Amino acid sequence: MAVSASKFNTFTFFKLPSAWWCGVRLKHLDSKKAVATVTHRWFNQNPFKSMFWAVQGMAAELTTGAMVSSQISETGKKISMLVQNNNANFSKKATGKITFTCEDGHLIAEALERTIATGDGQTIWMEAVGVNKDGVVVSTFNFEWTVRLKK
């Protein structure tokens, strides 16, 4: 699996084409933080002339999932990952360029260590916050990721 933002963007083209065509792009990825952007366009709008909530969700999920995937890759172990739950809050109309940031990478390593040591599945709640060009929060997404050692 890719470990850089550009490789993840190529990955989205082939494996998550709806996210790629909607304009979701990973801009930064390291073990602690991931940043993705998406720009409101005709193609990804809702009837109210703002960004469709699912497009925001794709960008938000990418920030969390890219870090989980990257850190799983670094373990060298076969570990599955899956979103078990999610919730979101929409606080402002999403127009223009929206930047989603997740800074919960520190939670992943501990969960991976526990699942490798015990063989039991682990869960992690991670938050991605979307802001517009003025720095105003437009949406906040929370994803409950499960990781489990494959047998």
Side-chain angles (χ1 to χ4, degrees):
M1 176 48 83
V3 292
S4 71
S6 64
K7 287 183 181 177
F8 260 97
N9 290 329
T10 301
F11 172 82
T12 62
F13 179 78
F14 290 104
K15 299 296 184 178
L16 301 168
S18 59
W20 194 89
W21 285 109
C22 284
V24 175
R25 299 293 184 273
L26 193 63
K27 297 295 184 180
H28 173 83
L29 175 64
D30 63 32
S31 63
K32 303 211 182 301
K33 176 180 167 180
V35 178
T37 62
V38 61
T39 301
H40 171 244
R41 297 186 194 126
W42 172 84
F43 190 76
N44 61 23
Q45 75 179 352
N46 61 28
F48 310 107
K49 296 188 169 83
S50 62
M51 193 179 301
F52 185 51
W53 69 268
V55 175
Q56 294 178 63
M58 288 188 285
E61 184 183 357
L62 184 61
T63 63
T64 62
M67 282 192 291
V68 175
S69 179
S70 178
Q71 289 192 38
I72 286 173
S73 178
E74 290 172 10
T75 69
K77 304 283 186 185
K78 291 188 177 198
I79 298 173
S80 65
M81 58 186 275
L82 183 68
V83 172
Q84 185 170 342
N85 281 298
N86 78 300
N87 61 59
N89 179 56
F90 302 93
S91 50
K92 184 158 178 65
K93 204 171 185 177
T95 58
K97 186 176 190 175
I98 308 300
T99 302
F100 285 90
T101 303
C102 177
E103 296 180 337
D104 291 339
H106 63 281
L107 302 173
I108 303 165
E110 183 179 322
L112 292 176
E113 288 172 13
R114 282 196 311 262
T115 199
I116 291 168
T118 66
D120 296 333
Q122 302 294 315
T123 63
I124 319 156
W125 276 99
M126 299 175 73
E127 180 182 74
V129 178
V131 299
N132 64 17
K133 66 178 172 66
D134 299 323
V136 176
V137 174
V138 298
S139 58
T140 303
F141 285 79
N142 296 290
F143 296 94
E144 183 183 24
W145 283 97
T146 62
V147 292
R148 191 166 122 175
L149 197 60
K150 290 182 182 179
K151 296 180 180 175

